Amino acid sequence: MTPEVLAAWQEALPNQRVQCLLCPHHCMLPDGRTGLCKTRINRSGRLFSTSYGKLCALGVDPIEKKPLYHFFPGMGILSMATAGCTFRCVNCQNWTISQQPPEAVPWKGYTPEEVVERALFEGVDSLAFTYTEPTVFYEFMLETARLAREKGLKSVLISNGYINQAPLEALCDVLDAANIDVKAFDETTYRMLTGGHLQPVLDTLRTLKDRGVWLEMTQLVIPGLSDDTDKAAAFYKQLVDLGFADTPLHLSRFFPQYRLTNKQATPPETLEALAHVAEEAGFKYVYLGNLQDRGGEDTRCPACRHLLVGRRGYLVHTYRMKDGHCPNCGVPVAGRWY
Ligand code: SF4
């Protein structure tokens, strides 16, 4: 039986109420109530995580699937999740697990030690906290990442970035890389799509970069919602001005699902137009996701366009990096390389 554990970030309030300090929703919960993420419950004035170790997914993926393209390409990564999420994305592709409490989906109990042992058994070098929103199993993630580091494994966060600064800082102590899904260019669309706010996510990007965690970004391009080139140009310029030109940007093709079945799949030309906008703004590494056979998955030298890492789907078929530099012109390429 996997225990409920005391939540790491909370503040007691009068009358056995408690406030969760983990994410910017700052849920204030009366006794017996569960937070918006469905994974934290007030029991007699103290907040407990109900997701600890209740993994509904555990398996080895290629790192390209996360996606991370500048972090040891081709590496296998043991990936895990519990149910629950801090967002209510209308387009969620994992809604059958993200919008449920941990005990409502099939799960198997693991300790951090068992997860690390499994990674060593599988012969992989790293762990990924992914699929739903890892913030909802923060305590388990933190302990597992700490132990992983002791054993020489890397830890990777795949997240919506909706987490308060203090818990994020603690997590940065044991994280090696992250991909943050930035879901819209402006606050109004962000709120409508996710139920959250944009600024805390931008704060997360800044903190991860400042703390030396290797960072990549994903944006799902949804027709009519997150494909406006003028908004994109302003947003990308803002990010470049903030120092994110070297951060790989993954523009991902939308397919209709969950509550957004009335939209069409993103036309490939829309994705390519946005990639052009991002490159014009100054992003050096822009990728096209969910879109094969158009060359949008390859890593090229930002100076001479020499092919550095060739991909087809999740498969790396060409690797020409030399000590973190382009072998053709010698320019350094941002990332963590073999
Ligand atoms: S982590 Fe969950 S309980 Fe805590 S503030 Fe966020 S949504 Fe609310």
Side-chain angles (χ1 to χ4, degrees):
M1 183 66 187
T2 305
E4 291 182 356
V5 303
L6 200 60
W9 299 92
Q10 61 178 293
E11 184 174 356
L13 300 174
N15 304 317
Q16 292 204 327
R17 289 161 59 87
V18 65
Q19 183 165 33
C20 178
L21 305 177
L22 180 55
C23 96
H25 287 306
H26 288 125
C27 295
M28 283 210 237
L29 303 170
D31 187 17
R33 291 293 293 273
T34 303
L36 192 146
C37 59
K38 300 189 170 101
T39 66
R40 271 139 220 282
I41 189 166
N42 179 349
R43 295 208 187 278
S44 305
R46 296 203 306 166
L47 194 66
F48 286 82
S49 162
T50 59
S51 59
Y52 188 94
K54 289 185 181 137
L55 299 189
C56 63
L58 181 69
V60 175
D61 288 330
I63 187 100
E64 277 67 25
K65 193 174 177 182
K66 304 296 106 190
L68 280 156
Y69 280 9
H70 288 225
F71 190 75
F72 304 108
M75 176 173 68
I77 188 162
L78 184 64
S79 305
M80 72 204 77
T82 75
C85 187
T86 50
F87 276 0
R88 297 277 171 277
C89 299
V90 291
N91 56 290
C92 184
Q93 61 182 2
N94 287 328
W95 62 273
T96 54
I97 50 176
S98 72
Q99 301 304 309
Q100 297 288 340
E103 61 281 1
V105 301
W107 58 274
K108 190 170 171 210
Y110 284 87
T111 64
E113 290 78 10
E114 287 169 336
V115 168
V116 169
E117 277 169 23
R118 171 76 175 268
L120 295 171
F121 173 79
E122 298 278 2
V124 298
D125 294 328
S126 58
L127 306 176
F129 308 103
T130 179
Y131 301 133
T132 54
E133 173 43 54
T135 298
V136 304
F137 55 97
Y138 177 90
E139 293 78 8
F140 186 77
M141 170 167 58
L142 192 66
E143 277 185 47
T144 305
R146 267 191 198 128
L147 189 61
R149 182 160 285 187
E150 284 173 22
K151 300 291 183 185
L153 300 174
K154 302 172 188 68
S155 288
V156 175
L157 172 72
I158 312 300
S159 169
N160 61 22
Y162 210 60
I163 182 170
N164 286 333
Q165 287 295 298
L168 177 61
E169 287 280 0
L171 196 55
C172 284
D173 289 343
V174 288
L175 271 187
D176 294 285
N179 185 313
I180 301 300
D181 192 351
V182 183
K183 293 168 187 281
F185 306 126
D186 62 276
E187 169 65 15
T188 305
T189 312
Y190 213 94
R191 186 97 185 117
M192 190 273 287
L193 277 176
T194 71
H197 299 279
L198 176 58
Q199 187 57 49
V201 180
L202 300 181
D203 296 341
T204 291
L205 297 178
R206 179 80 267 157
T207 299
L208 288 166
K209 189 166 173 59
D210 287 351
R211 289 293 307 274
V213 176
W214 175 251
L215 175 65
E216 305 198 13
M217 276 186 272
T218 293
Q219 280 203 308
L220 184 70
V221 179
I222 306 174
L225 290 173
S226 54
D227 64 346
D228 184 299
T229 49
D230 289 339
K231 283 184 183 174
F235 185 68
Y236 294 147
K237 180 171 186 317
Q238 179 192 354
L239 289 176
V240 168
D241 289 346
L242 288 169
F244 292 101
D246 275 341
T247 300
L249 174 64
H250 301 262
L251 298 175
S252 187
R253 190 181 189 200
F254 163 83
F255 289 98
Q257 54 203 334
Y258 194 36
R259 294 186 174 144
L260 268 193
T261 49
N262 59 333
K263 295 269 179 202
Q264 299 294 312
T266 316
E269 298 73 26
T270 302
L271 235 58
E272 288 167 346
L274 276 190
H276 181 67
V277 168
E279 285 165 352
E280 287 283 296
F283 273 91
K284 292 183 187 168
Y285 311 101
V286 183
Y287 297 99
L288 305 182
N290 286 344
L291 188 67
Q292 287 190 8
D293 299 328
R294 293 178 92 105
E297 300 157 318
D298 296 335
T299 300
R300 292 187 174 273
C301 172
C304 72
R305 306 306 297 164
H306 187 67
L307 178 66
L308 300 173
V309 185
R311 302 180 179 85
R312 185 173 172 82
Y314 301 136
L315 182 76
V316 173
H317 58 73
T318 303
Y319 187 83
R320 295 182 180 143
M321 291 291 300
K322 193 173 175 202
D323 301 328
H325 291 72
C326 171
N328 188 50
C329 71
V331 157
V333 180
R336 307 284 188 269
W337 310 100
Y338 298 106

